[in-house]
Amino acid sequence: MSNIQSVLEEKRLFPPSAEFSAKARLDKDKLAALRAEAEKDPVGFWAELARRNIAWQTPFRTVLDDSQAPNYRWFTDGRTNASANCLDRHLGTKGDKIAIRFEGDKGDTKTWTYRALHAEVCKLANGLKSLGVTKGDRVVLYMPHTPEAVMAMQACARIGAVHSIVFGGFSSGSLRDRIEDAGAKVVITADGNSRGGNIIELKKAVNEALSSGCKSVEKVVVLKRSGHDVAFDAKRDVWWHELLAKQSSNCDPEWVESEHPLFLLYTSGSTGKPKGIQHSTGGYLLGAHMSCLWVFDLQDSDVFWCTADVGWVTGHTYVGYGPLSCGATILMFEGVPTWPDAGRFWKVAQDHGVTIFYTAPTAIRALMKLGEEPPAKYDLSKLRLLGSVGEPINPEAWMWYHRVIGKEKLPIVDTWWQTETGAIMMSPIPGATATKPGSCTQPLPGIFADVVDEAGEAIKSVEAGGYLVITKPWPAMLRTIWGDNERYIKTYFGQFPGKNLYVAGDSTHRDKDGYYWIMGRIDDVLNVSGHRLGTMEIESALVSHPRVAEAAVVGRPHEVKGESVFAFVTCKGARPQGEEADKLLKELREHVGKEIGALAKPDDIRFSDNLPKTRSGKIMRRLLRSIAKGEEITQDISTLENPAIVSQLQGKA
């Protein structure tokens, strides 16, 4: 089969400003020196960073154990603790510095210093121990996006328990499956939380999950957040505030082996059964820490806002662990970008003096759809760095972000990484890298990537795309799939037997400057008349039309072409109907033909008020594929932000 074709041509280049570079942690020369050091001795490079940046109770002597590759192990004989690295080591110098600023959905605010956060984490850690939780036990967190979720993560890490966060938007059935797979001893949840002015019934979902299984669960700790009445089992359930009231604010950290599991995080798999991605303590923490310093150029005065929920890996690495390990101030926001109005994100950024803003392309496109007026109402002058995460950002959204939010001055770090990689793998370094709209640019120092064909051989052509692979192990990588190491090896290293290449599952191409362009998931590649096209590039072409706010492209079987292009489109303004829709449909097809070529013209375009997104902002592409094929919907759509949109997507409304 021929290589994936890159059809997106982007020539705009934005070098970092001299003013930013002069104050940045890394400029061009320092970045070049790091890359040279990593190239010369990759293992020694990570060893030196680990010695300088992680607090070890027992220093390591073994750096990388690859004797059972691809089950790589890092710093195996070292002992550390993630919570001690995030809290204890700052108490002497930053105890009174604000660690977390919080704003609730309804506008309530609160702050915690490092000293206060440490005390709360210790109380909860002692509380968990009083419930019988010991080193290695699994604790499932099903919580709102509040500081207590970070406290729960840190408390588990403090005593060597393994946490597994389930996003609060998942159904009770999805929660049950994850609790059972992990064999969780305790669940930590809340009565509920407010999101967009609506109560999310967290405790109710936990009760439903436990009523149909989960025999391993002994106790449920319940945070009182919403304050509404919930069904409470006095023998099993414990109120958070009552548990902590009995505990000491001192709890010595449990020093664990570097390879001790820090957390499990379940991600969807091609079989439909969630995969429990297992991350280690030492290696993961190193990746989180270094990427925060390099990519976000974290300074002591920064207020860092990563908008991701703690239920996703971005919320783990860039809310729960990475910034705190660097001694930074983070902002957590419970609500949604558009409630009670379209300016909520920007008001929050203004009110809390946010300097670094890291969000998803989905959010950027949604805000872009609402126009330039909402952000113009607020003072965003303290912003100094913007970031993008979660999926490839199309150039049109990148330019809006750059122009409207960044005022054509701020660097944008477009980051590529995965749940499995633990931390950012590719990104511009803001004080050193010239950016191109839509490209995640180059791998970070110590990360070795390549583009290969279906035989696992490197592709040299800049026009051709292929499989994105990582060629050398790195400390923050996943260790295995919980309870299924065979699936781990097959899923991530089985594509090219004998080569030990980590296969990311994304298609990519590398341009003449060595910049990487993510073209979409390999399973999102369309085979149209013998041409393999990445869906992201067709979506980018559609969104570059002035009427289009967002687009998602999937394939539909075609008896002549093999596959045809099926596009779901949301427009700026009202959804077009009748003659207006017919006219715009023709216009969009011609626009894609002009931007990419006739072969990429969508055969079908369906207009909708919204795309089907989970509450985290992820587009449910499997659902769109089923709709495009006219199949009966069998997927669980309970996690959709707006389940009612399905009928409209099917053309029934």
Side-chain angles (χ1 to χ4, degrees), residues 392-471:
I393 183 170
N394 54 292
E396 201 66 21
W398 194 102
M399 289 302 300
W400 184 89
Y401 202 25
H402 167 70
R403 181 176 57 83
V404 177
I405 308 304
K407 307 299 182 187
E408 300 187 357
K409 296 178 181 178
L410 306 187
I412 296 176
V413 288
D414 174 8
T415 62
W416 175 84
W417 60 297
Q418 302 175 308
T419 301
E420 293 88 345
T421 70
I424 294 167
M425 302 289 277
M426 294 194 211
S427 171
I429 300 300
T433 310
T435 53
K436 298 181 182 183
S439 171
C440 58
T441 67
Q442 296 175 310
L444 298 187
I447 304 301
F448 297 86
D450 206 349
V451 187
V452 302
D453 61 20
E454 292 195 333
E457 298 300 322
I459 294 174
K460 303 300 182 185
S461 168
V462 296
E463 290 86 17
Y467 292 88
L468 173 59
V469 297
I470 309 299
T471 62

Side-chain angles (χ1 to χ4, degrees), residues 369 569-571 575 606-611 645 648-649:
K369 180 180 178 182
V569 170
T570 64
C571 292
R575 174 167 54 107
R606 189 161 292 170
F607 297 110
S608 175
D609 292 333
N610 291 291
L611 296 178
I645 202 69
Q648 194 179 95
L649 293 163

Side-chain angles (χ1 to χ4, degrees), residues 119-276:
E120 291 300 295
V121 167
C122 286
K123 288 178 186 177
L124 182 56
N126 286 326
L128 290 174
K129 288 200 288 188
S130 75
L131 299 179
V133 179
T134 59
K135 176 183 175 183
D137 285 340
R138 276 78 62 206
V139 177
V140 162
L141 280 52
Y142 187 68
M143 299 189 72
H145 188 64
T146 63
E148 287 84 1
V150 171
M151 294 172 193
M153 298 164 73
Q154 292 281 342
C156 290
R158 194 162 195 84
I159 62 175
V162 183
H163 66 71
S164 181
I165 304 182
V166 179
F167 174 58
F170 278 134
S171 67
S172 60
S174 298
L175 173 63
R176 179 198 62 230
D177 293 345
R178 287 158 173 77
I179 291 172
E180 290 185 338
D181 191 76
K185 191 172 190 176
V186 168
V187 174
I188 304 178
T189 189
D191 48 1
N193 71 293
S194 179
R195 182 177 169 83
N198 299 311
I199 293 292
I200 307 299
E201 296 269 10
L202 296 173
K203 180 62 163 61
K204 181 181 178 182
V206 171
N207 290 345
E208 290 172 356
L210 299 189
S211 69
S212 58
C214 309
K215 302 301 182 186
S216 62
V217 174
E218 297 175 5
K219 291 289 182 180
V220 177
V221 179
V222 187
L223 173 72
K224 187 169 283 191
R225 173 64 186 152
S226 61
H228 73 292
D229 290 336
V230 292
F232 201 83
D233 182 341
K235 293 182 179 179
R236 182 196 66 200
D237 301 340
V238 182
W239 285 112
W240 172 296
H241 61 278
E242 292 179 356
L243 178 66
L244 267 63
K246 306 170 186 175
Q247 310 302 329
S248 165
S249 59
N250 289 308
C251 177
D252 291 336
E254 176 78 26
W255 298 102
V256 298
E257 306 83 357
S258 178
E259 283 296 313
H260 180 73
L262 178 61
F263 66 85
L264 309 177
L265 184 55
Y266 286 84
T267 185
S268 59
S270 57
T271 64
K273 181 186 177 184
K275 307 186 295 268

Side-chain angles (χ1 to χ4, degrees), residues 283-504:
Y284 167 80
L285 194 62
L286 179 63
H289 184 89
M290 297 315 305
S291 56
C292 273
L293 296 180
W294 291 342
V295 175
F296 299 113
D297 186 48
L298 269 180
Q299 308 286 345
D300 196 53
S301 58
D302 278 321
V303 176
F304 179 68
W305 184 13
C306 169
T307 68
D309 189 277
V310 288
W312 308 108
V313 72
T314 305
H316 282 60
T317 306
Y318 300 110
V319 177
Y321 287 110
L324 295 178
S325 76
C326 297
T329 296
I330 64 170
L331 172 66
M332 297 183 70
F333 171 57
E334 183 183 29
V336 297
T338 54
W339 188 85
D341 58 54
R344 185 65 184 275
F345 255 19
W346 314 123
K347 185 179 188 303
V348 170
Q350 169 194 269
D351 292 352
H352 295 277
V354 171
T355 60
I356 301 172
F357 182 69
Y358 188 42
T359 196
T362 303
I364 296 167
R365 288 191 292 267
L367 295 164
M368 176 179 159
K369 180 180 178 182
L370 300 170
E372 299 179 21
E373 191 177 331
K377 293 178 180 178
Y378 299 97
D379 179 7
L380 303 179
S381 59
K382 289 191 176 180
L383 284 174
R384 69 180 193 89
L385 179 64
L386 304 175
S388 169
V389 59
E391 60 184 330
I393 183 170
N394 54 292
E396 201 66 21
W398 194 102
M399 289 302 300
W400 184 89
Y401 202 25
H402 167 70
R403 181 176 57 83
V404 177
I405 308 304
K407 307 299 182 187
E408 300 187 357
K409 296 178 181 178
L410 306 187
I412 296 176
V413 288
D414 174 8
T415 62
W416 175 84
W417 60 297
Q418 302 175 308
T419 301
E420 293 88 345
T421 70
I424 294 167
M425 302 289 277
M426 294 194 211
S427 171
I429 300 300
T433 310
T435 53
K436 298 181 182 183
S439 171
C440 58
T441 67
Q442 296 175 310
L444 298 187
I447 304 301
F448 297 86
D450 206 349
V451 187
V452 302
D453 61 20
E454 292 195 333
E457 298 300 322
I459 294 174
K460 303 300 182 185
S461 168
V462 296
E463 290 86 17
Y467 292 88
L468 173 59
V469 297
I470 309 299
T471 62
K472 296 181 187 297
W474 67 101
M477 67 188 295
L478 79 163
R479 293 308 191 253
T480 187
I481 292 174
W482 178 257
D484 197 346
N485 193 58
E486 185 179 337
R487 188 181 182 191
Y488 159 77
I489 295 170
K490 181 180 178 182
T491 302
Y492 301 106
F493 294 90
Q495 184 81 28
F496 309 111
K499 292 181 179 287
N500 266 356
L501 297 175
Y502 171 86
V503 180

Side-chain angles (χ1 to χ4, degrees), residues 53-123:
N53 292 279
I54 302 298
W56 300 92
Q57 191 240 12
T58 303
F60 61 87
R61 289 169 295 178
T62 301
V63 182
L64 171 64
D65 178 0
D66 59 1
S67 62
Q68 299 181 57
N71 289 113
Y72 298 100
R73 293 161 56 81
W74 288 84
F75 320 125
T76 49
D77 51 352
R79 297 176 75 85
T80 187
N81 181 279
S83 178
N85 272 272
C86 292
L87 302 176
D88 301 50
R89 69 168 164 178
H90 302 311
L91 295 180
T93 55
K94 298 182 179 182
D96 296 323
K97 179 181 177 178
I98 293 175
I100 301 178
R101 301 180 65 92
F102 172 68
E103 180 167 325
D105 187 53
K106 297 178 180 178
D108 51 305
T109 61
K110 191 173 180 182
T111 61
W112 282 263
T113 64
Y114 271 92
R115 201 177 317 282
L117 182 60
H118 175 267
E120 291 300 295
V121 167
C122 286
K123 288 178 186 177

